[in-house]
Amino acid sequence: MAHHGHRRHRLDARSPDRLELGPVALGLVMLLGAALLAVACAPPAESSSKTPENPLAVSTSNAASFVEDAEAVWLDLAIQNDRAAWVQSNFITVDTNVIAAQARERQIAAQVELAKLAAGFDADEADPVVARKLGRLVTSIVLPAPSEEAKQEELARITSEMEAEYGAGEVCTESAGEETCLDLEDFETVIDESRDPEALLAAWTGWRQVAPRYREQFRRYVELANEGARELGFADLGALWRSGYDLPPDAFAAELDRLWGQVRPLYDALHCHVRAQLAEHYGEGVVAPSAPIPAHLLGNMWAQSWGNVYDLVAPPSVDAGYELGERLRAEGYDPLEMVRTGERFFTSLGLDPLPETFWERSLFTKPADRDVVCHASAWDIDYEDDLRIKMCIEVNAEDFSTIHHELGHNYYQRAYNDQDPLFRDSANDGFHEALGDTVALSITPAYLEEIGLIDQEPPASADLALLMRLALDKVAFLPFGLLIDKFRWEVFSGAIGADEYNAGWWRLREEYQGIEAPVERDESDFDPGAKYHVAANVPYARYFLAHILQFQLHRALCAAAGVEGPLHRCSIYDNAEAGARLAEMMSVGASRPWPEALAMITGPEGGEAEMDATAILDYFAPLQEWLDEQNEGRTCGW
C-alpha cells in the first residue's frame, strides 16, 4: 500500500492516498471496476464457483467464509498492484504505465465486486470481527458505479475526462503572433512569490479558466455516483464517504463541526492579524479591514496555507535563531543521512530499525538517467516487511520534515502487519496522515541541539517566529481542510444544486475561512473544480483529521514522556514510554474503532476516547496571547 506525502506549502496540488493514474489508465480502471458492479446487491448465493454474479469465486455460503476468501483475494491483488505501481513510478515508460494500469484494474475490479457481495450480508447477524471486515469492504469504495452498463461507461468516461482536463490544464494567449501557454505550476509560482496585486489576480483568475471546461461533467458525475452509492445502501455518495469512521454519517459530520468549533478562536485571531498586515502592505483599497480576505493575496493558489506571506505578518524583531536547511547543508547532510536521522528518531523510541531491504530498495534521489514520480510516498509492498519510501530528496527543512512524515507511514505499516489483511490500515485515515507529523512536532530546537544540528537552543523569545511559521501552515489550513468535503457533501445531498455550485462554494469559503473571491464570480465559473481533489473524486476529510490528531497525539505522548513546560518545546526523542504507547496504538491497525486506538496513547486509565482540538490551543498558546495583543483595537471577524 502506498501512502503519499505532501509538500507543506502546496498541501496539495496532488496528494491523494493512493497511486494517481493518468487519464487513460483511470478510464480503463473505471470501466472495468464499474462493469463488475453491474449486479445489484442481491442476497448471497450458495456457491463459491466462478459465475458472472461471483467472478472472484469467493465463498458466499456464510459471512465468515466469504470474508476469509475475500481477504485472500484482496491481499494477493494488492501486492500485485503495489509491485507494478512501484516499477511504474520509478521507471516511467509507456510499457510500465500499461502494466501498472492493468494491475490496478484487477485490484479495483475485485474491490468493487467484493463490496457488492459484502453488502449482501446482514452484518448485524455476523460475528463482530466478521461484521467489521464486511463494513470495511463496503466503505473502502470512493466511487461506486451504477448497475446499468451505459451509466457505468458514462461515469468512467467523464471522471477520466475531468482528471485529464485538470492535469493537462493550460491557458493560452496570443500576442504579436506568438502563443504563450501557462499551466498550474506557472500560475502557482506567481501566487507563491509575487507581491504585485495585479500579477496575483491575473494568476488567480488564469488558473480558474480551466475548471469551467468540466463543470457539466461534474454535474453528471454527481448524479451517477449518487446512484451507485444508493445501490450499496447509502443515501448519497457523501454518506458513503462519511460511513468509514466508526460513526453514523451524520454524527461524523457533527464531530468535525465540534472540532472546528474548538479551534476556531485561534484561527479567527490569526485571520484578524494577517488581514491587518496585508491591509497595511497592500492598502485598505485592496484589503478591507473588516471584510473577508481576497483569496489571491495569501501566497497559495487555494488560500489553504499562508506560509508564503510570513515576511508580511511575522512578529517584528523576532528571529528564530537558525534556518534548518542552512544547518543541514553546513553539517554536510546528504539525502541518505537525512533519512538515517529520521530513522534514529523512531528507534530512539524503542522501535526496531528499518529492514535492510528498505535501504536497498527505496528511492532517495532523482535519477539522472530516467523519469520518475518524485511526489513523496511511503510503500509497504508485501504487507509484511518490504517497506520503502520514494522521494527526490533535497537538503532543506521542508524535505527533512517530509521524511519524518513518510517514515511515520512506514513504521505504522510495519506495526499493524500482523493483523488480518483487512485490518492492515490505520485506525482511520486521519491517523495514518497524522503519525509522522506527530513525530515531526518533536523536531524542536532542543532536539536539534541534542543531535548537533545547532550549537545552542535559541531563547524563548525566538519561539514566536517558529510558532507563527507553523500556524500559517497548519492553523490556516484547518477550515479549508473541512470545507472541501463540506461542499461536496452538500452537493451530493442536493443542498447545493447544480445551478449554484459557485455560489455554494464561496458561501462556505466565506463562512469557514473568511476568504472571498477577488473579482465577481458567477455560475459560468466553477471555482471548486480548480482544486485537484474535487476534479478527481478524492475525499479530503483525512487531512483535517490529521491536523487535529497530530497535536492531540503530541500532547498525550509528551505527558506520557513526563516532559514539562510549554507543549511547543516538548520533544519525545529517546523516550521509551512514549514509544511504547505509540507502538501499541499502531499495532492494532484498523481492527478496533478509532476511539479505542486513540485511548491507547491518550492514557490507559480513563484516557481520551474522542478527538480533541484543544491541544492545538495549548501548542500555540504563546502565539494566541501575542495575536490578541496585536488585535487590540482592530475589528476582527468578517
Side-chain angles (χ1 to χ4, degrees), residues 18 27 76 98 119 136 138 162 202 222 235 261 308 335 374 411 463 498 511:
R18 298 290 185 267
D76 180 57
V98 171
R136 288 186 59 77
V138 174
M162 285 195 295
V222 170
N308 287 324
C374 278
Y411 273 95
D463 290 359
E511 177 184 350

Side-chain angles (χ1 to χ4, degrees), residues 549-565:
L549 284 165
Q550 64 188 261
F551 289 95
Q552 183 177 5
L553 295 175
H554 179 65
R555 181 173 66 182
L557 290 171
C558 288
V563 178
E564 299 180 352

